[in-house]
């Protein structure tokens, strides 16, 4: 199945460490089984020697018991260290791999996805993969090896006994886990998707709490959250009952194995085929050998959750790219002359084209504005130029070559954007500015802020550049947020500057001050202004109206 293949593929770089962890896990269980088995034989032999008065060398078995106890502790520590370290490093690698797959899909490839659901896939679903390696794959392989060693050990005493105990091992470690996996598969899948839906409901409720209260819908939304929570609790109760049933079956199987040893071994001791100390040794051996199988039912019970989480990861990771990349991308030139010829674009699922036969020339150093009403396709044009969407017909020519011949990332690296929706992260001013240039010094940040006429405001703050802007920039005004966006665009130092409704939502004086700040900064850039307002058009060389 494809989920299993992906899980094994993602662990390919950590297999040496996982195999070392497997070896330590096998050593831990074999040491434990051998410890109790040898201790049972030792105690029985000592008792028999005491009764009969026969000579018995107890030094060698005592040394063996101490050695096995020490080996069990060391191998357990090494198994935890190696396997958990490998699994955690692998999960970190998977998160990076997932984000690299997610990035090219935004924003057009996942326009119907919920942010909380994406976060759930990246955090909770990937965390579940930890269970596959540590709680499912490792215990299963360990149990197979330990059972194989146990069969070889029992065959040396009696074939019938080995066959009977193996049947009980198969019951506890094979049939019961498969039954639990089958019965718990649907509930496990519902848990994964249910937790994601619950997170989405909670996030939506917190974001829209004012509207929910204003329209009297808070109670209905709370009932939806409560309904989802109750469904998750029912599934958890079902899985808990399966765990209880499986542990009872493993305990029953271990008890039956011990009774099988006693029933078959007593006649063999009576006729002299076995020594008297062999019977308690084998009885304890069969009883403690089920430690290797005890975790398997619970491990395979979570396979439904792991498989559902993996499928959710794959749905995003292997989604088709909305903008295909060229096989051999060209180098983006320094000169940025753009020509649009007969451009047509229709959003998926829509019958009406947003852009139809659009033609535009934007030469280097020119400042061009596109004026149009809301919904006329201005922002769509910007997204096509940024390679967020792929156009249907027509051509976009960059220095004589089709835009599709360049990689999307290289095109965006030469474009700076100041939009109406300036997103500021809940971090410091410096961290938000360094998005454009991660290696910029504080002096460069202040120089860009000075050019954007916001340096005085930054220096007036108690912490200066290290001052936090709050969630979505709530600690600063809209005009200050736009100036920070201009400073960020200047730090990128890109030849092409896109202005997407940059003064939307600003009052008159703030809007005038914004354009006065921006005007001298546009001299060294090729500018494309997208707007439905008259403000700022006087700074443009050409104005086109999009109808």
């Amino acid at each position: 199945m494809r989920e299993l293949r992906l899980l094994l593929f993602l662990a390919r770089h950590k297999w040496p460490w996982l195999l070392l962890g497997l070896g330590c896990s096998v050593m831990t269980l074999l040491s434990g089984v051998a410890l109790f088995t040898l201790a049972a034989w030792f105690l029985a032999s000592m008792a028999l020697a005491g009764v009969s008065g026969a000579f018995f060398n107890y030094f060698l078995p005592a040394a063996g018991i101490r050695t096995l106890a020490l080996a069990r502790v060391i191998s357990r520590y090494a198994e935890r260290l190696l396997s958990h370290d490998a699994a955690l490093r692998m999960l970190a690698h998977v998160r990076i791999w997932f984000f690299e797959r997610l990035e090219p899909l935004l924003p057009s490839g996942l326009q119907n996805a919920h942010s909380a659901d994406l976060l759930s896939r990246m955090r909770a679903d990937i965390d579940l993969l930890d269970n596959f390696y540590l709680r499912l794959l490792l215990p299963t392989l360990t149990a197979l090896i330990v059972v194989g060693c146990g069969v070889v050990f029992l065959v040396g005493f009696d074939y019938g006994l080995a066959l009977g105990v193996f049947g009980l091992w198969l019951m506890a470690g094979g049939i019961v886990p498969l039954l639990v996996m089958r019965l718990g598969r649907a509930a496990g899948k519902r848990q994964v998707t249910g937790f994601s839906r619950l997170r989405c409901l909670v996030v939506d409720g917190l974001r829209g709490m004012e509207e929910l209260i204003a329209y009297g819908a808070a109670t209905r939304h709370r009932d939806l959250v409560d309904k989802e929570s109750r469904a998750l609790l029912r599934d958890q109760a079902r899985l808990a009952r399966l765990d209880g049933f499986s542990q009872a079956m493993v305990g029953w199987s271990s008890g039956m194995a011990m009774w099988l040893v006693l029933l078959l071994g007593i006649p063999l001791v009576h006729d002299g085929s076995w020594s008297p100390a062999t019977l308690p040794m084998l009885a304890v051996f069969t009883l403690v050998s089920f430690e290797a199988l005890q975790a398997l039912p619970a491990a395979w019970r979570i396979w439904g959750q792991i498989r559902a989480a993996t499928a959710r990861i794959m749905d995003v990771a292997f989604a088709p790219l909305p903008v295909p990349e060229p096989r051999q991308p060209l180098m983006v030139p320094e000169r940025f002359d753009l020509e649009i010829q007969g451009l047509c674009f229709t959003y998926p699922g829509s019958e009406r084209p947003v852009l139809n036969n659009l033609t535009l020339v934007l030469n280097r150093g020119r400042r061009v504005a596109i004026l149009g009403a809301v919904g006329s396709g201005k922002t769509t044009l910007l997204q096509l130029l940024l390679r967020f969407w792929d156009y249907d017909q027509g051509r976009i020519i960059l220095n004589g070559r089709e835009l599709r011949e360049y990689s999307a990332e290289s095109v965006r690296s030469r474009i700076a954007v100041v939009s109406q929706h300036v997103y500021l992260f809940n971090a410091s001013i410096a961290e938000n500015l360094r998005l454009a240039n991660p290696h910029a010094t504080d002096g460069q940040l202040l120089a860009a802020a000075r050019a954007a006429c916001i340096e005085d405001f930054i220096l007036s703050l108690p912490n200066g550049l290290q001052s936090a802007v709050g969630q979505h920039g709530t600690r600063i005004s809209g005009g200050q947020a736009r100036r920070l966006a201009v400073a960020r665009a200047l730090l990128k130092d890109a030849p092409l500057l896109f202005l997407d409704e940059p003064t939307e939502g600003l009052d008159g004086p703030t809007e005038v001050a914004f354009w006065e700040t921006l005007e001298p900064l546009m001299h060294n850039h090729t500018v494309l202004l997208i707007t439905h307002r008259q403000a700022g058009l006087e700074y443009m060389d050409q104005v086109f109206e999009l109808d």
Side-chain angles (χ1 to χ4, degrees), residues 433-441:
L433 291 177
R434 285 196 174 100
L435 289 176
N437 184 357
H439 306 292
T441 64

Side-chain angles (χ1 to χ4, degrees), residues 62-94:
I65 290 173
R66 292 187 179 94
T67 302
L68 289 171
L70 187 61
R72 186 168 184 254
V73 172
I74 294 175
S75 57
R76 174 66 72 186
Y77 176 80
E79 181 264 325
R80 289 288 189 266
L81 180 65
L82 293 172
S83 59
H84 283 73
D85 181 73
L88 293 174
R89 290 180 184 275
M90 188 205 63
L91 292 186
H93 168 73
V94 172

Side-chain angles (χ1 to χ4, degrees), residues 451-485:
C453 295
I454 197 173
E455 181 189 24
D456 292 341
F457 166 74
I458 294 175
L459 295 178
S460 69
L461 298 173
N463 297 321
L465 286 170
Q466 303 307 317
S467 302
V469 300
Q471 184 74 20
H472 301 294
T474 52
R475 295 185 180 180
I476 60 177
S477 67
Q480 291 163 346
R482 303 294 168 85
R483 293 179 188 274
L484 284 179

Side-chain angles (χ1 to χ4, degrees), residues 15 105 108 115 119 151 249 289 369 372 383 388 399 500 507:
W15 274 121
L105 298 174
S108 56
S115 58
L119 180 61
V151 170
M249 290 301 298
S289 65
Q383 292 181 338
F388 289 148
N399 278 29
D500 182 16
D507 57 42

